[in-house]
Amino acid sequence: MNATGKLALGISGASAVALLVDACAAPIFSPSCQGGAATDSWDGLGALVDWVEKGNAPQQIIARGTTVFPGRSRPLCPYPQSANYRGTGNPEDAASFVCR
């Protein structure tokens, strides 16, 4: 059993577990896990605390660019979903994307 499966045994909301545990598997985030440019600033701990203390499982986590992509934000989506541009809005803003 992988780490996600072990964690999901004790916590409801398997998609939220996948979102928090598998961030490095997400195509938008994997370059930063390997040291490359990415939207590499995100509050996974805050999402986890909100989930545990308030019961609000995250449906997505917003990742923001820092030095390389200042002003860019993207949603990190639970596997197997990915961020898809809605077709309207600022392509640098997470609000212009939907997880599906």
Side-chain angles (χ1 to χ4, degrees):
M1 180 179 291
N2 65 21
T4 303
K6 289 177 183 174
L7 186 58
L9 288 175
I11 304 173
S12 63
S15 66
V17 171
L19 178 61
L20 292 170
V21 174
D22 292 337
C24 287
I28 193 168
F29 205 71
S30 60
S32 69
C33 295
Q34 300 166 7
T39 48
D40 57 357
S41 176
W42 58 290
D43 185 15
L45 179 59
L48 183 60
V49 168
D50 196 41
W51 183 17
V52 171
E53 294 182 358
K54 299 176 186 171
N56 299 326
Q59 299 304 306
Q60 66 181 17
I61 296 174
I62 303 301
R64 301 189 187 289
T66 52
T67 305
V68 179
F69 300 117
R72 177 179 287 178
S73 62
R74 293 286 187 276
L76 294 175
C77 306
Y79 181 83
Q81 296 180 10
S82 63
N84 291 271
Y85 182 60
R86 295 178 190 267
T88 61
N90 182 348
E92 297 296 317
D93 187 356
S96 300
F97 291 79
V98 62
C99 291
R100 56 178 156 185

Coordinates of all heavy atoms in Angstrom, one line a residue:
M1 N 0.8 -1.2 0.0 CA 0.0 0.0 0.0 C 0.9 1.2 0.0 O 1.8 1.3 0.8 CB -0.9 0.0 1.2 CG -1.8 1.2 1.3 SD -2.9 1.1 2.8 CE -4.0 -0.2 2.4
N2 N 0.6 2.2 -0.8 CA 1.4 3.4 -0.9 C 1.0 4.4 0.2 O 0.1 4.2 1.0 CB 1.3 4.1 -2.3 CG -0.1 4.6 -2.5 OD1 -0.9 4.8 -1.6 ND2 -0.5 4.8 -3.8
A3 N 1.8 5.5 0.3 CA 1.6 6.4 1.4 C 0.2 7.1 1.4 O -0.4 7.3 2.4 CB 2.7 7.5 1.4
T4 N -0.3 7.3 0.2 CA -1.6 7.9 0.1 C -2.7 7.0 0.6 O -3.6 7.4 1.3 CB -1.9 8.3 -1.4 OG1 -0.9 9.1 -1.9 CG2 -3.3 8.9 -1.5
G5 N -2.6 5.7 0.3 CA -3.5 4.7 0.8 C -3.5 4.6 2.3 O -4.5 4.5 2.9
K6 N -2.3 4.6 2.8 CA -2.1 4.5 4.3 C -2.8 5.7 5.0 O -3.4 5.6 6.0 CB -0.7 4.3 4.7 CG -0.1 3.0 4.3 CD 1.4 2.9 4.6 CE 2.0 1.6 4.2 NZ 3.4 1.5 4.4
L7 N -2.5 6.9 4.4 CA -3.1 8.1 5.0 C -4.6 8.1 4.9 O -5.3 8.5 5.8 CB -2.5 9.3 4.4 CG -2.8 10.7 4.9 CD1 -2.4 10.7 6.4 CD2 -2.1 11.8 4.2
A8 N -5.1 7.7 3.7 CA -6.6 7.7 3.5 C -7.3 6.7 4.4 O -8.5 6.9 4.7 CB -6.9 7.3 2.0
L9 N -6.6 5.7 4.9 CA -7.3 4.8 5.9 C -7.8 5.5 7.1 O -8.8 5.1 7.7 CB -6.3 3.6 6.3 CG -6.0 2.6 5.2 CD1 -5.0 1.6 5.7 CD2 -7.3 1.9 4.8
G10 N -7.0 6.5 7.6 CA -7.4 7.2 8.8 C -8.1 8.5 8.6 O -8.5 9.1 9.5
I11 N -8.2 9.0 7.3 CA -8.8 10.3 7.1 C -9.9 10.1 6.0 O -9.6 9.5 4.9 CB -7.8 11.3 6.6 CG1 -6.7 11.4 7.7 CG2 -8.4 12.6 6.4 CD1 -5.5 12.2 7.3
S12 N -11.0 10.7 6.1 CA -12.0 10.7 5.1 C -11.6 11.7 4.0 O -11.0 12.7 4.3 CB -13.4 11.0 5.6 OG -13.5 12.3 6.1
G13 N -12.0 11.5 2.8 CA -11.8 12.4 1.7 C -10.5 12.0 0.9 O -9.5 12.7 1.0
A14 N -10.6 10.9 0.2 CA -9.4 10.4 -0.5 C -8.8 11.4 -1.5 O -7.6 11.5 -1.7 CB -9.7 9.1 -1.2
S15 N -9.7 12.2 -2.1 CA -9.2 13.1 -3.1 C -8.4 14.2 -2.5 O -7.4 14.7 -3.0 CB -10.3 13.7 -4.0 OG -11.2 14.5 -3.2
A16 N -8.8 14.6 -1.3 CA -8.0 15.6 -0.5 C -6.7 15.0 -0.1 O -5.7 15.7 -0.1 CB -8.8 16.1 0.7
V17 N -6.7 13.8 0.3 CA -5.4 13.1 0.7 C -4.5 13.1 -0.6 O -3.3 13.5 -0.5 CB -5.6 11.7 1.2 CG1 -4.3 10.9 1.3 CG2 -6.4 11.7 2.5
A18 N -5.0 12.7 -1.7 CA -4.2 12.7 -2.9 C -3.7 14.1 -3.3 O -2.5 14.2 -3.7 CB -5.0 12.2 -4.1
L19 N -4.5 15.1 -3.0 CA -4.1 16.5 -3.3 C -2.9 16.9 -2.5 O -1.9 17.4 -2.9 CB -5.2 17.4 -3.1 CG -5.0 18.9 -3.3 CD1 -4.6 19.2 -4.7 CD2 -6.2 19.7 -2.9
L20 N -2.9 16.5 -1.2 CA -1.8 16.9 -0.3 C -0.6 16.1 -0.4 O 0.5 16.5 -0.3 CB -2.3 16.9 1.2 CG -3.4 18.0 1.5 CD1 -4.0 17.7 2.8 CD2 -2.8 19.4 1.4
V21 N -0.8 14.8 -0.6 CA 0.4 13.8 -0.6 C 1.0 13.8 -2.0 O 2.3 13.7 -2.1 CB -0.1 12.4 -0.2 CG1 1.0 11.4 -0.4 CG2 -0.6 12.4 1.2
D22 N 0.3 13.9 -3.1 CA 0.8 13.7 -4.4 C 1.2 15.0 -5.1 O 1.2 15.0 -6.4 CB -0.1 12.9 -5.2 CG -0.2 11.4 -4.7 OD1 0.7 11.0 -4.1 OD2 -1.2 10.8 -5.0
A23 N 1.5 16.1 -4.4 CA 1.7 17.3 -5.1 C 2.9 17.2 -6.1 O 2.8 17.9 -7.1 CB 2.0 18.4 -4.0
C24 N 3.9 16.5 -5.8 CA 5.0 16.3 -6.7 C 4.7 15.6 -8.0 O 5.4 15.6 -8.9 CB 6.2 15.7 -6.0 SG 7.0 16.8 -4.8
A25 N 3.6 14.8 -8.0 CA 3.1 14.1 -9.1 C 2.3 15.0 -10.1 O 2.1 14.7 -11.2 CB 2.3 12.9 -8.7
A26 N 1.9 16.1 -9.6 CA 1.1 17.0 -10.4 C 2.0 17.7 -11.5 O 3.0 18.2 -11.2 CB 0.5 18.1 -9.6
P27 N 1.6 17.6 -12.8 CA 2.4 18.2 -13.8 C 2.8 19.6 -13.6 O 3.9 20.0 -13.9 CB 1.5 18.0 -15.1 CG 0.6 17.0 -14.7 CD 0.3 17.0 -13.3
I28 N 1.9 20.4 -13.1 CA 2.3 21.8 -12.9 C 3.3 22.0 -11.7 O 4.0 23.0 -11.7 CB 1.0 22.7 -12.6 CG1 1.3 24.2 -12.7 CG2 0.4 22.4 -11.2 CD1 0.1 25.0 -12.8
F29 N 3.4 21.1 -10.8 CA 4.2 21.2 -9.7 C 5.5 20.4 -9.7 O 6.5 20.8 -9.1 CB 3.4 20.8 -8.4 CG 4.0 21.5 -7.2 CD1 3.8 22.9 -7.0 CD2 4.7 20.8 -6.2 CE1 4.2 23.5 -5.9 CE2 5.2 21.4 -5.1 CZ 4.9 22.8 -4.9
S30 N 5.6 19.4 -10.5 CA 6.7 18.5 -10.5 C 8.0 19.2 -10.8 O 9.1 18.8 -10.3 CB 6.5 17.3 -11.5 OG 6.3 17.7 -12.8
P31 N 8.1 20.2 -11.7 CA 9.4 20.9 -11.9 C 10.0 21.4 -10.6 O 11.2 21.3 -10.4 CB 9.1 22.0 -12.9 CG 7.9 21.5 -13.7 CD 7.1 20.8 -12.6
S32 N 9.2 22.0 -9.7 CA 9.8 22.6 -8.5 C 10.2 21.5 -7.6 O 11.1 21.7 -6.8 CB 8.8 23.5 -7.8 OG 7.7 22.7 -7.3
C33 N 9.6 20.3 -7.6 CA 10.1 19.2 -6.8 C 11.5 18.7 -7.3 O 12.2 18.0 -6.6 CB 9.1 18.0 -6.9 SG 7.5 18.5 -6.1
Q34 N 11.8 19.0 -8.6 CA 13.1 18.6 -9.1 C 14.0 19.8 -9.2 O 15.1 19.7 -9.8 CB 12.8 18.0 -10.5 CG 11.9 16.8 -10.5 CD 11.4 16.5 -11.9 OE1 11.9 17.1 -12.9 NE2 10.5 15.5 -12.0
G35 N 13.6 21.0 -8.7 CA 14.5 22.1 -8.7 C 14.3 23.1 -9.8 O 15.0 24.1 -9.9
G36 N 13.4 22.9 -10.8 CA 13.2 23.8 -11.9 C 12.1 24.8 -11.6 O 11.6 25.0 -10.5
A37 N 11.9 25.7 -12.6 CA 10.9 26.8 -12.5 C 9.5 26.2 -12.4 O 9.1 25.3 -13.1 CB 11.0 27.7 -13.7
A38 N 8.7 26.8 -11.5 CA 7.3 26.4 -11.3 C 6.6 27.4 -10.5 O 7.2 28.3 -9.9 CB 7.2 25.0 -10.7
T39 N 5.3 27.2 -10.4 CA 4.5 28.0 -9.4 C 4.7 27.2 -8.1 O 4.0 26.3 -7.7 CB 3.0 28.0 -9.8 OG1 2.6 26.7 -10.1 CG2 2.7 28.9 -10.9
D40 N 5.8 27.6 -7.4 CA 6.3 26.8 -6.3 C 6.0 27.3 -4.9 O 6.6 26.8 -3.9 CB 7.8 26.6 -6.4 CG 8.5 28.0 -6.5 OD1 7.8 29.0 -6.5 OD2 9.8 28.0 -6.6
S41 N 5.1 28.2 -4.7 CA 4.7 28.6 -3.4 C 3.2 28.3 -3.1 O 2.3 28.7 -3.8 CB 4.9 30.2 -3.3 OG 4.4 30.6 -2.0
W42 N 3.0 27.4 -2.1 CA 1.6 27.0 -1.8 C 1.6 26.6 -0.4 O 2.5 26.3 0.3 CB 1.2 25.8 -2.7 CG 2.1 24.6 -2.7 CD1 3.3 24.5 -3.1 CD2 1.7 23.4 -2.1 NE1 3.8 23.2 -2.9 CE2 2.8 22.5 -2.2 CE3 0.6 22.9 -1.4 CZ2 2.8 21.2 -1.8 CZ3 0.6 21.6 -1.0 CH2 1.7 20.7 -1.2
D43 N 0.4 26.8 0.2 CA 0.2 26.6 1.6 C -0.5 25.2 1.9 O -1.7 25.1 2.2 CB -0.7 27.7 2.2 CG -0.8 27.6 3.7 OD1 -0.1 26.9 4.4 OD2 -1.7 28.3 4.3
G44 N 0.2 24.1 1.7 CA -0.3 22.8 2.0 C -0.5 22.6 3.5 O -1.5 22.0 3.9
L45 N 0.3 23.2 4.3 CA 0.1 23.0 5.8 C -1.2 23.7 6.2 O -2.0 23.2 7.0 CB 1.3 23.6 6.6 CG 1.2 23.5 8.1 CD1 1.0 22.0 8.5 CD2 2.4 24.1 8.8
G46 N -1.4 24.9 5.7 CA -2.7 25.6 6.0 C -3.9 24.8 5.6 O -4.9 24.8 6.3
A47 N -3.8 24.2 4.4 CA -5.0 23.4 3.9 C -5.2 22.2 4.8 O -6.3 21.8 5.2 CB -4.7 23.0 2.5
L48 N -4.1 21.6 5.3 CA -4.1 20.4 6.2 C -4.7 20.8 7.5 O -5.6 20.1 8.1 CB -2.8 19.8 6.3 CG -2.7 18.5 7.1 CD1 -3.5 17.4 6.5 CD2 -1.2 18.0 7.3
V49 N -4.3 21.9 8.1 CA -4.8 22.4 9.4 C -6.3 22.7 9.3 O -7.1 22.3 10.1 CB -4.0 23.6 9.9 CG1 -4.7 24.3 11.1 CG2 -2.6 23.2 10.2
D50 N -6.7 23.4 8.2 CA -8.1 23.7 8.0 C -8.9 22.4 7.9 O -10.1 22.3 8.4 CB -8.3 24.5 6.7 CG -9.6 25.2 6.7 OD1 -10.1 25.7 7.7 OD2 -10.2 25.2 5.6
W51 N -8.4 21.4 7.2 CA -9.1 20.1 7.1 C -9.2 19.4 8.4 O -10.3 19.0 8.8 CB -8.3 19.3 6.1 CG -8.8 18.0 5.7 CD1 -10.1 17.5 5.9 CD2 -8.1 16.9 5.0 NE1 -10.3 16.3 5.4 CE2 -9.1 15.9 4.9 CE3 -6.8 16.8 4.6 CZ2 -8.7 14.7 4.2 CZ3 -6.5 15.6 4.0 CH2 -7.4 14.6 3.8
V52 N -8.1 19.3 9.1 CA -8.1 18.5 10.4 C -8.9 19.3 11.5 O -9.8 18.7 12.2 CB -6.7 18.3 10.9 CG1 -6.7 17.7 12.3 CG2 -6.0 17.4 9.9
E53 N -8.8 20.6 11.6 CA -9.4 21.3 12.7 C -10.8 21.8 12.4 O -11.6 21.9 13.3 CB -8.5 22.5 13.0 CG -7.2 22.1 13.6 CD -6.3 23.3 14.0 OE1 -6.7 24.5 13.8 OE2 -5.2 23.1 14.6
K54 N -11.1 22.0 11.1 CA -12.5 22.5 10.8 C -13.3 21.5 9.9 O -14.4 21.7 9.6 CB -12.4 23.8 10.0 CG -11.7 24.9 10.9 CD -11.5 26.2 10.1 CE -10.7 27.2 10.9 NZ -10.4 28.3 10.0
G55 N -12.6 20.4 9.5 CA -13.3 19.4 8.6 C -13.5 19.9 7.2 O -14.3 19.3 6.5
N56 N -12.8 20.9 6.8 CA -12.9 21.4 5.4 C -11.8 20.8 4.5 O -10.7 21.3 4.4 CB -12.8 22.9 5.4 CG -13.8 23.6 6.1 OD1 -15.0 23.2 6.2 ND2 -13.5 24.7 6.8
A57 N -12.1 19.7 3.9 CA -11.2 19.0 3.0 C -10.9 19.9 1.7 O -11.9 20.4 1.1 CB -11.7 17.7 2.5
P58 N -9.7 20.1 1.4 CA -9.4 21.0 0.2 C -9.9 20.3 -1.1 O -9.6 19.2 -1.3 CB -7.9 21.2 0.2 CG -7.4 20.0 1.0 CD -8.5 19.6 1.9
Q59 N -10.5 21.1 -2.0 CA -10.8 20.7 -3.3 C -9.7 21.1 -4.3 O -9.6 20.5 -5.4 CB -12.2 21.3 -3.7 CG -13.3 20.9 -2.8 CD -13.5 19.4 -2.7 OE1 -13.6 18.7 -3.7 NE2 -13.5 18.9 -1.5
Q60 N -8.9 22.1 -3.9 CA -7.8 22.5 -4.7 C -6.9 23.4 -3.7 O -7.4 23.8 -2.7 CB -8.1 23.3 -5.9 CG -8.8 24.6 -5.6 CD -9.2 25.3 -6.9 OE1 -9.3 24.8 -8.0 NE2 -9.5 26.6 -6.8
I61 N -5.7 23.5 -4.1 CA -4.8 24.4 -3.4 C -4.2 25.3 -4.4 O -3.8 24.9 -5.5 CB -3.6 23.6 -2.7 CG1 -4.2 22.7 -1.6 CG2 -2.6 24.6 -2.1 CD1 -3.2 21.8 -0.9
I62 N -4.1 26.6 -4.1 CA -3.6 27.6 -5.1 C -2.1 27.7 -4.9 O -1.6 27.9 -3.8 CB -4.3 29.0 -4.8 CG1 -5.8 28.9 -5.0 CG2 -3.7 30.0 -5.8 CD1 -6.3 28.4 -6.3
A63 N -1.4 27.5 -6.0 CA 0.1 27.6 -6.0 C 0.4 29.0 -6.7 O -0.3 29.3 -7.7 CB 0.7 26.5 -6.8
R64 N 1.4 29.7 -6.2 CA 1.7 31.0 -6.8 C 3.2 31.0 -7.2 O 4.0 30.3 -6.6 CB 1.5 32.0 -5.7 CG 0.1 32.1 -5.3 CD -0.2 33.3 -4.4 NE -1.6 33.2 -3.9 CZ -2.7 33.4 -4.5 NH1 -2.7 33.6 -5.8 NH2 -3.9 33.3 -4.0
G65 N 3.5 31.7 -8.2 CA 4.8 31.9 -8.7 C 5.6 32.9 -7.8 O 5.0 33.8 -7.2
T66 N 6.9 32.7 -7.7 CA 7.7 33.6 -6.9 C 8.6 34.3 -7.9 O 8.2 35.1 -8.6 CB 8.4 32.8 -5.8 OG1 9.1 31.7 -6.4 CG2 7.4 32.3 -4.8
T67 N 9.9 34.0 -7.9 CA 10.9 34.7 -8.6 C 10.7 34.5 -10.1 O 10.7 35.5 -10.9 CB 12.3 34.2 -8.3 OG1 12.4 34.3 -6.8 CG2 13.4 35.0 -9.0
V68 N 10.5 33.3 -10.6 CA 10.4 33.0 -12.0 C 9.1 33.4 -12.6 O 9.0 34.0 -13.7 CB 10.7 31.5 -12.3 CG1 10.6 31.2 -13.8 CG2 12.0 31.1 -11.8
F69 N 8.0 33.2 -11.9 CA 6.7 33.5 -12.4 C 5.9 34.4 -11.5 O 4.8 34.1 -11.0 CB 5.8 32.3 -12.7 CG 6.4 31.3 -13.6 CD1 6.8 30.0 -13.2 CD2 6.6 31.6 -15.0 CE1 7.3 29.1 -14.1 CE2 7.1 30.7 -15.9 CZ 7.5 29.4 -15.4
P70 N 6.4 35.6 -11.2 CA 5.7 36.5 -10.3 C 4.3 36.9 -10.8 O 4.2 37.2 -12.0 CB 6.6 37.7 -10.2 CG 7.4 37.7 -11.4 CD 7.6 36.3 -11.8
G71 N 3.3 36.8 -9.9 CA 2.0 37.2 -10.3 C 1.2 36.0 -10.9 O 0.0 36.1 -11.1
R72 N 1.8 34.9 -11.2 CA 1.1 33.7 -11.7 C 0.6 32.9 -10.6 O 1.2 32.7 -9.6 CB 2.0 32.9 -12.6 CG 1.4 31.6 -13.1 CD 2.3 30.8 -14.0 NE 2.4 31.5 -15.3 CZ 3.2 31.1 -16.3 NH1 3.9 29.9 -16.1 NH2 3.3 31.7 -17.4
S73 N -0.6 32.4 -10.8 CA -1.2 31.4 -9.8 C -1.9 30.3 -10.6 O -2.4 30.6 -11.7 CB -2.2 32.1 -8.8 OG -3.3 32.7 -9.5
R74 N -1.9 29.1 -10.0 CA -2.6 28.0 -10.6 C -3.2 27.1 -9.5 O -2.6 27.0 -8.5 CB -1.6 27.1 -11.4 CG -1.0 27.7 -12.7 CD -2.0 27.8 -13.8 NE -1.4 28.2 -15.0 CZ -1.2 29.5 -15.4 NH1 -1.6 30.5 -14.6 NH2 -0.7 29.8 -16.5
P75 N -4.3 26.5 -9.8 CA -4.8 25.5 -8.8 C -4.1 24.2 -8.9 O -3.7 23.7 -10.0 CB -6.3 25.3 -9.2 CG -6.3 25.7 -10.7 CD -5.2 26.7 -10.9
L76 N -3.7 23.6 -7.8 CA -3.3 22.3 -7.7 C -4.5 21.4 -7.5 O -5.2 21.6 -6.5 CB -2.3 22.1 -6.6 CG -0.9 22.8 -6.7 CD1 -0.1 22.7 -5.4 CD2 -0.2 22.3 -7.9
C77 N -4.8 20.5 -8.3 CA -6.0 19.7 -8.3 C -5.7 18.3 -7.8 O -4.6 17.7 -8.0 CB -6.6 19.6 -9.7 SG -6.8 21.2 -10.5
P78 N -6.7 17.7 -7.2 CA -6.6 16.3 -6.8 C -6.4 15.3 -8.0 O -7.1 15.5 -9.0 CB -7.8 15.9 -5.9 CG -8.8 17.0 -6.2 CD -8.1 18.2 -6.8
Y79 N -5.6 14.4 -7.9 CA -5.4 13.4 -8.9 C -6.7 12.6 -9.1 O -7.3 12.3 -8.1 CB -4.2 12.4 -8.5 CG -4.0 11.4 -9.6 CD1 -3.2 11.7 -10.7 CD2 -4.5 10.1 -9.4 CE1 -2.9 10.7 -11.6 CE2 -4.3 9.2 -10.4 CZ -3.5 9.5 -11.5 OH -3.3 8.5 -12.4
P80 N -7.1 12.4 -10.3 CA -6.5 12.5 -11.6 C -6.8 13.8 -12.3 O -6.6 14.0 -13.5 CB -7.0 11.3 -12.4 CG -8.4 11.2 -11.9 CD -8.3 11.5 -10.4
Q81 N -7.5 14.8 -11.6 CA -7.9 16.0 -12.2 C -6.6 16.9 -12.5 O -5.6 16.7 -11.9 CB -8.8 16.8 -11.3 CG -10.1 16.1 -11.0 CD -11.0 16.9 -10.1 OE1 -10.7 18.1 -9.8 NE2 -12.0 16.3 -9.6
S82 N -6.8 17.8 -13.4 CA -5.8 18.8 -13.7 C -6.4 20.2 -13.9 O -7.6 20.3 -14.2 CB -5.0 18.4 -14.9 OG -5.8 18.3 -16.1
A83 N -5.6 21.2 -13.8 CA -6.1 22.6 -14.1 C -6.3 22.8 -15.6 O -5.4 22.5 -16.4 CB -5.1 23.6 -13.5
N84 N -7.5 23.3 -15.9 CA -7.9 23.6 -17.3 C -8.3 25.0 -17.4 O -9.2 25.4 -16.6 CB -9.0 22.6 -17.7 CG -8.5 21.2 -17.9 OD1 -8.1 20.8 -18.9 ND2 -8.6 20.4 -16.8
Y85 N -7.8 25.7 -18.4 CA -8.2 27.1 -18.6 C -9.6 27.2 -19.0 O -10.1 26.4 -19.9 CB -7.3 27.7 -19.7 CG -7.5 29.2 -20.0 CD1 -7.4 30.1 -19.0 CD2 -7.9 29.6 -21.3 CE1 -7.6 31.5 -19.3 CE2 -8.1 30.9 -21.6 CZ -8.0 31.8 -20.6 OH -8.2 33.2 -20.8
R86 N -10.4 28.1 -18.4 CA -11.8 28.2 -18.7 C -12.1 28.8 -20.1 O -13.2 28.7 -20.6 CB -12.5 29.1 -17.6 CG -12.5 28.5 -16.2 CD -13.1 29.5 -15.3 NE -13.0 29.1 -13.9 CZ -13.8 28.4 -13.2 NH1 -14.9 28.0 -13.8 NH2 -13.6 28.1 -12.0
G87 N -11.1 29.4 -20.7 CA -11.3 30.0 -22.0 C -11.5 31.5 -21.9 O -11.5 32.2 -22.9
T88 N -11.7 32.0 -20.7 CA -11.9 33.5 -20.5 C -11.1 33.8 -19.2 O -10.8 33.0 -18.4 CB -13.4 33.9 -20.3 OG1 -13.9 33.2 -19.2 CG2 -14.2 33.5 -21.6
G89 N -10.8 35.1 -19.1 CA -10.1 35.6 -17.9 C -8.6 35.6 -18.1 O -8.1 35.2 -19.1
N90 N -7.9 36.1 -17.1 CA -6.5 36.3 -17.2 C -5.8 34.9 -17.1 O -6.0 34.2 -16.1 CB -6.0 37.1 -16.0 CG -4.6 37.4 -16.0 OD1 -3.8 36.8 -16.7 ND2 -4.2 38.3 -15.1
P91 N -5.0 34.5 -18.1 CA -4.4 33.2 -18.0 C -3.3 33.0 -17.0 O -2.8 32.0 -16.8 CB -3.8 33.0 -19.4 CG -3.7 34.4 -20.0 CD -4.8 35.2 -19.3
E92 N -3.0 34.1 -16.3 CA -2.0 34.1 -15.2 C -2.7 33.9 -13.8 O -2.0 33.9 -12.8 CB -1.2 35.4 -15.2 CG -0.3 35.5 -16.4 CD 0.7 34.4 -16.6 OE1 1.4 34.1 -15.6 OE2 0.9 33.9 -17.7
D93 N -4.0 33.9 -13.8 CA -4.8 33.9 -12.5 C -5.5 32.5 -12.3 O -6.2 32.0 -13.2 CB -5.8 35.0 -12.6 CG -6.6 35.2 -11.3 OD1 -6.4 34.4 -10.3 OD2 -7.4 36.1 -11.3
A94 N -5.3 31.9 -11.2 CA -5.9 30.6 -10.9 C -7.4 30.7 -11.0 O -8.0 29.7 -11.3 CB -5.6 30.2 -9.4
A95 N -8.1 31.8 -10.8 CA -9.5 31.9 -11.0 C -10.0 31.6 -12.4 O -11.2 31.4 -12.6 CB -10.0 33.3 -10.5
S96 N -9.1 31.7 -13.4 CA -9.4 31.4 -14.8 C -9.3 30.0 -15.1 O -9.4 29.6 -16.3 CB -8.5 32.3 -15.7 OG -8.6 33.6 -15.4
F97 N -9.0 29.1 -14.1 CA -8.9 27.7 -14.3 C -9.9 26.9 -13.5 O -10.4 27.4 -12.5 CB -7.5 27.2 -13.9 CG -6.4 27.8 -14.8 CD1 -5.9 29.1 -14.7 CD2 -5.8 26.9 -15.8 CE1 -5.0 29.6 -15.6 CE2 -4.9 27.4 -16.7 CZ -4.4 28.7 -16.6
V98 N -10.2 25.7 -14.0 CA -11.1 24.8 -13.2 C -10.4 23.4 -13.2 O -9.7 23.0 -14.1 CB -12.5 24.7 -13.9 CG1 -12.4 24.2 -15.3 CG2 -13.5 23.9 -13.1
C99 N -10.6 22.7 -12.0 CA -10.1 21.4 -11.9 C -11.1 20.4 -12.5 O -12.3 20.4 -12.2 CB -9.9 21.0 -10.4 SG -8.6 21.9 -9.6
R100 N -10.6 19.6 -13.4 CA -11.5 18.5 -14.0 C -10.6 17.4 -14.5 O -9.5 17.5 -14.7 CB -12.4 19.0 -15.1 CG -11.8 19.7 -16.2 CD -12.8 20.2 -17.2 NE -12.1 21.3 -17.9 CZ -12.7 22.0 -18.8 NH1 -13.9 21.8 -19.1 NH2 -12.1 23.0 -19.4

